[in-house]
Amino acid sequence: MVTSIEQLNLNSTYTYADYLSWKFSESVELLRGKLVKMAAPSRKHQLISRRLFTPISQHLWRQPCEVYHAPLDVRLVWEDSTTQQMIISVVQPDICVICDPNKLDDAGCNGAPDLIIEILSPGNTKKEMKTKYAIYEAAGVLEYWLVNLADKNLLQYRLGVDGKFFTTQPLTDEDFIQTPILPNLVISLEDVFEHL
């Protein structure tokens, strides 16, 4: 039984079955089988998360879609397999919206959420920008928001018919964010980035 993260080799490849067997308190994600430690979020990170989560949660009151914030295990299947051994990506997005109730179980979300929001921190920029972007795109996440605290902007990626993300110019504190996934939801980025 693995009771300490120090018992694991960070260069090895692991599966969801391995992930379930670990009994340590550190927060980790599996990104294409590679173990990645998660640092505790900063106060500003938590503030931005709340400012995005709250209006989405209020908008979804008594609606079929559900919104969750970290930590929630999101299992993303590799090569269309449904066996635990082939799930090699287990992520904990800052915020995610799931509209298919069949993807939800007591362990979290099994499959791609409709919307994922990640908030960049100095230590996770490369992970979020490259690795998770590729994982989310391949898994079929319909929309991915990447929030940059340092530059006070938001990149909104949508999945095209070709299965690839596309985006427009970055949205700043002068803009409003909207998504076809949640019709009639409008969030002011001025409110989101206020006093940072």
Side-chain angles (χ1 to χ4, degrees):
M1 176 185 296
V2 178
T3 57
S4 169
I5 198 168
E6 283 74 30
Q7 293 174 266
L8 299 173
N9 180 347
L10 297 183
N11 295 317
S12 293
T13 300
Y14 297 99
T15 66
Y16 181 56
D18 297 319
Y19 181 90
L20 289 176
S21 72
W22 299 333
K23 305 297 180 198
F24 48 77
S25 60
E26 292 92 348
S27 294
V28 298
E29 291 180 303
L30 271 184
L31 302 182
R32 292 193 170 155
K34 297 299 180 187
L35 179 68
V36 178
K37 295 180 190 178
M38 297 177 64
S42 69
R43 181 194 64 81
K44 287 183 179 180
H45 183 287
Q46 292 292 74
L47 181 64
I48 294 296
S49 180
R50 181 174 53 83
R51 289 178 178 176
L52 289 167
F53 180 86
T54 300
I56 294 171
S57 178
Q58 290 171 343
H59 180 76
L60 290 177
W61 179 251
R62 296 188 176 164
Q63 299 295 318
C65 297
E66 297 280 347
V67 62
Y68 296 90
H69 57 76
L72 175 80
D73 284 347
V74 175
R75 290 134 27 225
L76 300 173
V77 178
W78 185 253
E79 296 179 3
D80 298 325
S81 172
T82 56
T83 63
Q84 283 187 348
Q85 290 75 23
M86 292 304 292
I87 297 173
I88 59 172
S89 291
V90 182
V91 295
Q92 294 185 7
D94 292 315
I95 300 171
C96 61
V97 173
I98 299 114
C99 296
D100 180 354
N102 294 320
K103 291 182 179 179
L104 295 169
D105 57 29
D106 288 343
C109 177
N110 188 20
D114 296 81
L115 169 65
I116 285 181
I117 303 171
E118 295 281 13
I119 302 163
L120 293 177
S121 299
N124 70 358
T125 301
K126 182 179 178 184
K127 177 176 69 172
E128 250 72 67
M129 290 291 290
K130 294 201 180 258
T131 310
K132 282 190 171 181
Y133 175 99
I135 290 170
Y136 294 160
E137 183 181 68
V141 172
L142 298 179
E143 194 161 320
Y144 175 32
W145 299 358
L146 196 56
V147 183
N148 187 327
L149 291 177
D151 296 334
K152 294 184 182 178
N153 67 33
L154 184 149
L155 296 174
Q156 183 181 29
Y157 298 97
R158 290 188 180 147
L159 198 67
V161 294
D162 61 354
K164 301 291 183 190
F165 281 139
F166 67 92
T167 188
T168 57
Q169 65 184 14
L171 300 172
T172 68
D173 59 1
E174 298 175 349
D175 298 309
F176 294 86
I177 185 82
Q178 296 178 277
T179 171
I181 294 169
L182 305 174
N184 303 316
L185 173 70
V186 180
I187 299 174
S188 163
L189 292 182
E190 181 179 16
D191 293 344
V192 171
F193 293 121
E194 185 178 20
H195 302 304
L196 284 186

